[in-house]
Amino acid sequence: MESITGPLASLVNPLSFSFPMWLASLVLKELALQAADLGVTCACRFLKELPSRTGQRVLYKNQLDHKDMMFLSVNSVIEAVFTCHIFKMMWTSPLIFRSWSSFTILTGPLALLLIVLLNDMFYAPAHRLLHHPSIYPFIHKHHHRSVYPTRGNIDARNEHPVEQLIAMTLWMTAVHITAYTVGLHAAALGTHLAFMTTGASLNHAGYDFDIRFLGLDLYSTGAHEMHHRRPDKNFGQFTMLWDKMMGTYIPYEEGAEATKQVLGEKAE
Ligand SMILES: [Zn+2]
Ligand SMILES: [Zn+2]
């Protein structure tokens, strides 16, 4: 079997798979993602629904159509390619520590924390730019079709592929800066991949879950729900630290009042 070759080969096929193996990697990645989403669904049984999801209100959620399915399919391929790049880094990059003796507080937990913070430091302003009225209708509007997303990774990945490419590129930038500065262990990089996958699903599942570390709000599902209800607030993907610095942070609100201010009748 011949490998995929050509000028874009190293970009779209970083592990130099044969074409059948490349296709198999897409399927395997999708199966792994669905398994992770199933794990998130099971974990949600131990969590409470966000208070805004309870009661008699009709919560706006779009039905999936052909455009959603097309974007989800394209994004699945993009994710698989980026996942292969992450695995290649973990296995072969001279930037990454692999021996257990090189796993330290700095290359493990602190490197993981730095990736989370750097990733959102780049993502939050980029996300805010995608909300600029001159750009919003063409790219990011699609992700805001559901005001109260509940479908986990389906709603998380239901975005324009250009947005997916921007997010993945910023993520890789955060990973490289961390590796070049404090050093990065493969276990921390793998943990971040798992954190990104499950965190994105939980952000769109409708259940209440927070992570605080060293006094920092590292993750809050309620914060991202508020972004869907108030698209002019909470641009961070996980941590709200940068929104607090940009003045765009809004705390979670149980009632629908904040939602209506921006989205009108559709959000009831
Ligand atoms: Zn979202
Ligand atoms: Zn947005």
Side-chain angles (χ1 to χ4, degrees):
M1 298 288 181
E2 291 188 7
S3 300
I4 299 172
T5 57
L8 291 177
S10 62
L11 191 64
V12 299
N13 184 23
L15 294 174
S16 301
F17 285 144
S18 64
F19 186 65
M21 276 294 290
W22 186 81
L23 286 178
S25 73
L26 299 188
V27 175
L28 271 175
K29 189 278 307 173
E30 194 58 37
L31 288 174
L33 194 62
Q34 294 308 319
D37 201 47
L38 187 63
V40 168
T41 304
C42 292
C44 284
R45 300 176 121 192
F46 301 98
L47 302 175
K48 287 183 180 171
E49 274 189 301
L50 285 161
S52 47
R53 310 297 182 104
T54 59
Q56 298 299 313
R57 283 194 303 276
V58 176
L59 303 177
Y60 182 76
K61 180 174 75 171
N62 74 302
Q63 298 301 311
L64 296 178
D65 61 18
H66 287 99
K67 190 176 180 185
D68 295 307
M69 300 309 290
M70 183 180 73
F71 281 2
L72 285 165
S73 302
V74 173
N75 288 339
S76 180
V77 175
I78 294 171
E79 285 166 2
V81 169
F82 270 87
T83 304
C84 286
H85 278 281
I86 292 286
F87 282 154
K88 186 178 182 183
M89 273 195 85
M90 288 168 67
W91 290 330
T92 67
S93 172
L95 291 174
I96 303 296
F97 295 106
R98 275 174 281 279
S99 68
W100 284 114
S101 60
S102 59
F103 184 90
T104 64
I105 293 288
L106 195 61
T107 63
L110 287 181
L112 175 62
L113 177 63
L114 187 60
I115 301 177
V116 171
L117 294 175
L118 284 174
N119 189 37
D120 262 329
M121 186 179 83
F122 299 135
Y123 181 83
H127 183 185
R128 190 177 183 182
L129 185 64
L130 288 174
H131 274 272
H132 191 279
S134 62
I135 304 172
Y136 181 72
F138 305 106
I139 301 176
H140 190 53
K141 185 179 179 182
H142 188 85
H143 183 67
H144 281 274
R145 294 175 103 179
S146 281
V147 180
Y148 291 90
T150 57
R151 289 172 290 225
N153 76 40
I154 289 177
D155 282 337
R157 298 191 292 163
N158 194 5
E159 59 189 7
H160 195 290
V162 167
E163 184 180 343
Q164 178 86 340
L165 284 170
I166 292 170
M168 296 280 179
T169 304
L170 296 178
W171 177 15
M172 286 298 270
T173 304
V175 166
H176 276 82
I177 290 175
T178 302
Y180 274 116
T181 53
V182 300
L184 177 58
H185 196 278
L189 182 52
T191 303
H192 190 256
L193 178 63
F195 179 63
M196 288 287 282
T197 304
T198 53
S201 288
L202 264 175
N203 258 348
H204 298 85
Y207 288 84
D208 197 0
F209 185 68
D210 300 325
I211 298 177
R212 288 180 63 82
F213 183 68
L214 299 176
L216 295 171
D217 293 319
L218 285 185
Y219 180 71
S220 164
T221 53
H224 192 67
E225 182 191 284
M226 287 309 294
H227 175 65
H228 278 263
R229 291 164 56 190
R230 284 288 307 263
D232 58 336
K233 302 289 183 185
N234 293 5
F235 295 104
Q237 195 169 12
F238 296 120
T239 175
M240 291 296 112
L241 177 67
W242 309 111
D243 281 281
K244 288 176 180 173
M245 293 179 74
M246 291 193 296
T248 53
Y249 173 69
I250 187 172
Y252 178 74
E253 293 180 19
E254 294 185 15
E257 292 77 13
T259 315
K260 289 180 179 176
Q261 285 176 21
V262 169
L263 296 163
E265 295 303 313
K266 188 176 88 167
E268 286 185 0

Coordinates of all heavy atoms in Angstrom, one line a residue, residues 127 131 140 144 227, ligand 2:
H127 N -11.7 34.2 19.6 CA -13.2 33.9 19.7 C -13.9 35.2 19.7 O -15.0 35.4 19.0 CB -13.4 33.1 20.9 CG -14.8 32.7 21.1 ND1 -15.3 32.0 22.2 CD2 -15.9 32.8 20.3 CE1 -16.6 31.7 22.1 NE2 -17.0 32.2 21.0
H131 N -16.7 37.0 16.8 CA -18.0 37.6 17.1 C -18.2 39.0 16.5 O -19.2 39.6 16.7 CB -18.3 37.6 18.6 CG -18.9 36.4 19.1 ND1 -20.2 36.1 19.1 CD2 -18.3 35.2 19.6 CE1 -20.4 34.9 19.6 NE2 -19.3 34.3 19.9
H140 N -18.7 32.0 12.7 CA -19.0 31.5 14.1 C -20.5 31.4 14.4 O -20.8 30.7 15.3 CB -18.3 32.5 15.1 CG -18.3 32.0 16.5 ND1 -17.9 30.7 16.9 CD2 -18.8 32.5 17.6 CE1 -18.0 30.5 18.2 NE2 -18.6 31.6 18.7
H144 N -23.5 28.9 17.2 CA -24.5 29.5 18.2 C -25.9 29.1 17.8 O -26.9 29.8 18.2 CB -24.3 31.0 18.3 CG -23.2 31.4 19.2 ND1 -23.3 31.5 20.5 CD2 -21.8 31.6 18.9 CE1 -22.1 31.8 21.1 NE2 -21.2 31.8 20.1
H227 N -22.0 31.9 27.7 CA -21.6 32.4 26.4 C -22.6 32.1 25.3 O -22.9 33.0 24.5 CB -20.2 31.8 26.0 CG -19.9 32.3 24.6 ND1 -19.6 33.6 24.3 CD2 -19.8 31.6 23.4 CE1 -19.3 33.7 23.0 NE2 -19.4 32.5 22.4
Ligands
ZN2 ZN -19.1 32.3 20.4

